[in-house]
Amino acid sequence: MLLRLRHILNLRSSFSLLILAGAVFWAATGYADVCVWRDPERTMQKIFPQARDYETIERKISGEKAGVIENRLGKPLDPGEREDWIFYKIRGNKGEPLGYVLTDAEKGEYGAIEIVMGITPEGKVAGVYIQRARERDKEFKSRDFLDQFIGKTKENPLHIGKDIKAEGSLPAEQVSFAARKMLIMYDELRKEK
Amino acid sequence: MKLYLLRALVFCAVLLPISASAGGAQISGGADGRYINTGGDTNAFLLEGAFLNARKVFSDEQGDRVIAVGQIDFDDNFKTIRPYQTYLQYKGPLGKWNVRAGHYILPFGLLSAYDSERLLLRTLEPLSLGIKLDTGVELLGFSGDWDYAISVSQGVGRNRLTDVDDNKLVTGRLGWQGEDISIGVSALIGDVLLEKDSIIREETGLSSLYEKRLGVDITKYSGPLVLRGEVVFGKDNDKTVGGGLLKADYALTPKLELNFKYAYWQREGGRNFIGAGFSYELTKGLFLRIADEYEFGKENVNVAAAQTYFEFAKQF
């Protein structure tokens, strides 16, 4: 058996190429964001100071469900968002659910704007943080701007100039869009299995 | 250990996160093809590396508890198959403490949060440490704005999984994280078994060293500009060594980034490296990078390189 194993694993090039070809084919059939949420626990604790732990939850998105979400959002989802959605269930000291944390990345003028948002079990925004952004504009990172989202729900339009005050820069628009997207995703996917 | 058994072990380790439980795993991977011109007259086309990574989180009724990561790298035109980060991590409540066991990147300096393995302008560790991945046990976590990591490992490097010399290496980092800045202080002490292709081994002719290092690293985000700096000094056996690195990445557009590097390292004579290049995202996950790096001081060598880099990730 060892000889056979040795033979198999010594077919280095063909075996390796086969794996790579399989990976490329697999990659071509779908794409999730290659996005690492840096320091997730720190941000969770900022949004939910009583947080004791969290659980990663993944929801698969059917084509039909993606269509419903896009319809509500009024814009197509990014390629990496059409197949699945990951969010985090936050628990308190006795294991009770405190809320959920969701993440999103939207395109800014100088790269991705990575946004983290907390939602209470009742579906209200508990807090919004910018994890990483390389924009020149600074207004969209200010607490004055971000705290306007607290308490908002899926019923709010979250439009700059309507229920959110800002100068209307691209990053501020993108943060508002991301907040609306995450509320709709949460509403559509929290009970999906 | 027999090579074929090592490969079997690596494949099993990578497959563990996938096979241990249905659903909720992520597979990612990539390929790194390069054209390299050295000194104006030596040309090489090669598949520098390709990799497959699997990650799986196991949860209990309180939350995420165990994270399994496995990665296999196919390097140098598939001539080398070796494990990259492959470990099991037990996560304490909210990740304030974690215990990691396996094959992982050592917590020293910029390495702890910035892996330049697949970039053309690299960080200092091939010269300053001679070791990047090692097999051992690590305690890591955070408290408020502070984070910490301490590792005890075998000091045998990325190509070996077993402790062939019974020596140990201790590495640690204490960091502070502000809104747009992070600063860290690191230390490393112990025996390091140098790889066959190690720059330090090439310079010193030694196959192992007793290393002592102290380092300070800083990462600063300022709009489109990201600055990374590192100063490292210490001893190789009884010889004093030291140097530093400054890297700057400037985003011109969401897809185009300019990259600059200056590094200095003093061991057997001072070596200076100055480099510049750019990275352009052709389409989602596919990058074209071109860079030129000139070494002067002990030797004068120019290396120009072009790279296509592809990466993907998939949940299942």
Side-chain angles (χ1 to χ4, degrees):
Chain A
M1 188 191 165
L2 281 178
L3 278 174
R4 187 169 171 73
L5 181 65
R6 185 179 189 170
H7 174 72
I8 290 168
L9 292 170
N10 273 335
L11 294 174
R12 191 168 46 207
S13 299
S14 54
F15 188 56
S16 306
L17 282 169
L18 193 65
I19 286 180
L20 189 66
V24 169
F25 173 75
W26 194 15
T29 62
Y31 197 100
D33 278 325
V34 182
C35 171
V36 178
W37 183 13
R38 303 169 193 90
D39 299 319
E41 293 93 353
R42 273 203 181 99
T43 315
M44 284 170 180
Q45 213 167 28
K46 281 182 188 168
I47 298 173
F48 296 103
Q50 304 89 0
R52 186 176 188 275
D53 217 339
Y54 66 93
E55 180 188 353
T56 305
I57 295 172
E58 189 206 340
R59 293 281 186 263
K60 294 285 175 200
I61 304 175
S62 65
E64 188 187 352
K65 183 62 84 177
V68 171
I69 292 167
E70 288 175 339
N71 223 19
R72 288 182 65 182
L73 199 56
K75 261 176 89 171
L77 293 168
D78 291 336
E81 298 169 341
R82 292 188 58 86
E83 290 194 337
D84 43 64
W85 183 259
I86 289 175
F87 57 103
Y88 305 87
K89 188 174 189 176
I90 310 297
R91 290 201 169 98
N93 274 330
K94 294 173 184 168
E96 75 281 13
L98 296 177
Y100 298 85
V101 167
L102 298 88
T103 62
D104 187 34
E106 295 298 331
K107 201 176 280 183
E109 285 176 275
Y110 298 95
I113 301 170
E114 298 170 9
I115 304 130
V116 182
M117 186 168 91
I119 299 179
T120 66
E122 298 77 36
K124 291 182 178 176
V125 175
V128 179
Y129 280 84
I130 305 300
Q131 176 184 248
R132 186 68 42 83
R134 298 177 74 173
E135 304 301 299
R136 286 180 185 279
D137 179 71
K138 287 190 166 58
E139 183 198 25
F140 76 105
K141 292 170 84 175
S142 72
R143 291 312 324 162
D144 283 349
F145 172 68
L146 294 172
D147 286 349
Q148 295 180 72
F149 293 92
I150 294 174
K152 303 284 192 210
T153 70
K154 62 179 180 178
E155 311 300 338
N156 296 105
L158 300 184
H159 281 156
I160 305 284
K162 286 186 180 172
D163 53 344
I164 300 292
K165 288 177 191 165
E167 288 185 7
S169 62
L170 176 70
E173 297 275 4
Q174 292 292 60
V175 172
S176 298
F177 175 73
R180 195 153 50 91
K181 182 198 284 182
M182 287 188 273
L183 280 166
I184 291 170
M185 288 289 221
Y186 171 76
D187 187 47
E188 292 289 340
L189 299 171
R190 65 183 160 159
K191 286 177 185 165
E192 289 276 316
K193 279 287 175 191
Chain B
M1 189 185 287
K2 297 282 187 189
L3 188 60
Y4 64 95
L5 284 177
L6 177 63
R7 283 183 194 153
L9 193 64
V10 170
F11 277 112
C12 290
V14 171
L15 289 174
L16 172 72
I18 308 166
S19 57
S21 174
Q26 185 187 62
I27 296 289
S28 58
D32 170 359
R34 297 187 190 189
Y35 159 73
I36 301 170
N37 176 284
T38 308
D41 52 6
T42 308
N43 297 296
F45 286 94
L46 76 159
L47 186 64
E48 175 79 10
F51 66 93
L52 274 178
N53 178 295
R55 185 176 189 276
K56 166 78 184 162
V57 177
F58 300 89
S59 304
D60 62 17
E61 65 280 1
Q62 287 295 313
D64 292 357
R65 210 59 318 126
V66 175
I67 300 164
V69 173
Q71 180 167 328
I72 185 165
D73 279 17
F74 309 85
D75 289 337
D76 307 323
N77 284 335
F78 289 106
K79 284 179 190 158
T80 311
I81 300 175
R82 54 188 173 182
Y84 203 63
Q85 294 215 84
T86 299
Y87 58 79
L88 281 174
Q89 179 170 321
Y90 183 87
K91 187 179 80 62
L94 211 64
K96 289 190 173 179
W97 59 267
N98 300 263
V99 179
R100 183 181 285 176
H103 197 64
Y104 50 81
I105 293 177
L106 293 171
F108 188 96
L110 290 173
L111 259 184
S112 59
Y114 179 62
D115 186 357
S116 64
E117 179 98 6
R118 299 288 168 212
L119 300 176
L120 295 179
L121 300 177
R122 292 200 56 190
T123 44
L124 205 55
E125 73 277 354
L127 274 167
S128 63
L129 302 181
I131 188 167
K132 174 180 174 182
L133 288 130
D134 203 10
T135 305
V137 180
E138 181 181 15
L139 175 68
L140 67 157
F142 77 99
S143 177
D145 292 331
W146 295 87
D147 51 68
Y148 63 89
I150 184 153
S151 151
V152 179
S153 58
Q154 301 176 149
V156 296
R158 67 191 302 169
N159 292 331
R160 304 177 187 90
L161 292 176
T162 51
D163 195 0
V164 292
D165 60 4
D166 276 341
N167 292 318
K168 295 290 172 278
L169 181 69
V170 179
T171 317
R173 181 178 181 274
L174 180 65
W176 177 82
Q177 183 136 356
E179 194 175 334
D180 288 321
I181 191 168
S182 70
I183 298 169
V185 179
S186 305
L188 174 149
I189 186 164
D191 284 286
V192 173
L193 199 58
L194 299 167
E195 311 286 358
K196 281 181 184 165
D197 57 355
S198 158
I199 297 172
I200 301 177
R201 187 165 176 163
E202 192 181 299
E203 267 190 354
T204 63
L206 299 170
S207 59
S208 68
L209 283 173
Y210 186 72
E211 289 190 15
K212 291 179 189 171
R213 295 285 188 276
L214 274 176
V216 177
D217 65 271
I218 182 166
T219 302
K220 169 70 183 161
Y221 295 86
S222 180
L225 177 68
V226 183
L227 280 173
R228 293 181 176 87
E230 187 174 49
V231 175
V232 181
F233 62 92
K235 289 205 163 188
D236 282 350
N237 297 331
D238 287 325
K239 189 174 188 64
T240 301
V241 295
L245 166 85
L246 186 63
K247 270 196 92 180
D249 298 319
Y250 188 86
L252 287 175
T253 71
K255 288 177 177 288
L256 180 62
E257 183 184 72
L258 302 180
N259 315 111
F260 304 95
K261 165 189 171 178
Y262 172 73
Y264 173 78
W265 188 251
Q266 170 76 37
R267 179 180 287 105
E268 311 284 343
R271 298 176 71 171
N272 295 271
F273 301 83
I274 188 160
F278 71 85
S279 174
Y280 183 76
E281 187 174 13
L282 296 162
T283 180
K284 195 172 176 73
L286 179 64
F287 296 85
L288 169 69
R289 296 186 181 122
I290 292 176
D292 188 88
E293 187 166 345
Y294 181 65
E295 177 183 349
F296 61 99
K298 189 182 165 192
E299 291 178 51
N300 295 334
V301 185
N302 190 71
V303 178
Q307 175 198 41
T308 51
Y309 177 73
F310 166 70
E311 65 179 12
F312 72 92
K314 192 170 167 67
Q315 296 290 140
F316 74 102

